[in-house]
Amino acid sequence: MEQNDVIVAYGMDAAAMAREVLRAAGIEELIGRRDARIAFKPNLVTAAPAEQGGTTHPALLEGAIGYLKEQGFERISIVEGSWVGERTARAFEACGYAELARRTGVRLIDTQRDGAHEVDCAGMRLQVCDCVREIDFLIGVPVLKGHCQTGVTCALKNMKGLIPNSEKRRFHAMGLMKPIAHLNAGIHQDFVLVDALCGDLNFEEGGNPVRRGQVLGFRDPVLCDAWACREMGYDLDEVPYIGLAAALGVGSADLEAARVTEVNRPEALARPPRPARRVAALSRCVREREACSACYASLICALERLDGEGVPAPREVCIGQGFRGETGDVGVGACTAGFAHSVGGCPPRAADVLAFLRGLR
Ligand code: SF4
């Protein structure tokens, strides 16, 4: 797998999808030595289950750990420190990681209880938790989701869990963007396994999950976050730490150069019986027939952005495989190609859907 590769798996079976992504990446060759110390860094910002859209699904790590063990890797740990105001130990229990560790035998490392040392992060001196020095191969497992301050959060901001609480507070005093970029010049992620199953629409702690039904693999965390922006309907310059990280040499945000491998095709999945209130409000104009989750999530993210701009949504937007071969007015996705106004893509990106909806005015 090269730096510009992106691997995509669709569905909701997190463990199986994680295995497929790691297999397609050839992760065993990327890691190399069987005695390498491998650490997974999920996002357990709060003590809330992954279904609420803020934390990483434990089944994703279960599948990944199982795959690595089958390949002969045994020195595996999970490292995380929740946000200031939450105890990581509580999050490990509530999010299913204590149970996961008991079942798989991997070590849980709470970075809130770790020491720290100073690291020169491309000219910015930052405190980093000591456990990072004991990692040979770091796998970030962020949630692709919205964030009330940065708009989008995924691979780069996830590294904040590897600094002490005092440094997290200082990050906010420094305006977040620059220190996030510099931190990633000091902590190298060897692989990013993205939980894009049901990340939150606009809050990092969850509450408005949008079912997207994807697991993604990247070697480049900057490319990963550029991808996340497009999936959430943001332009790159709206999330400045991504461009700053690219300028520091952390990676490339060039999506045009990305080489995408899909291990399967999107599936139509039943919508949750009771979508989050915000998602339900946004979907009032949506007429859906067998829409794939990735397609539906792009439309919801675009409608959220449109609403934020104060632009009224169209009276009705059709989406789903049930509209194939049909005609109509406004449609989203390749399945609505016969409509008078339609945006292509299978699945379409939120950024493209947003541009399309803006253009209807
Ligand atoms: S365009 Fe159709 S097949 Fe493709 S993702 Fe959307 S609903 Fe699914």
Side-chain angles (χ1 to χ4, degrees), residues 266 291-292 295 320-321 324 333-335 345-347:
C292 301
C295 208
Q321 298 175 49
R324 273 188 192 145
C335 290
C346 179

Side-chain angles (χ1 to χ4, degrees), residues 273-285:
R274 288 179 57 191
R277 194 178 298 174
R278 179 70 186 141
V279 177
L282 289 168
S283 61
R284 274 194 206 111
C285 67

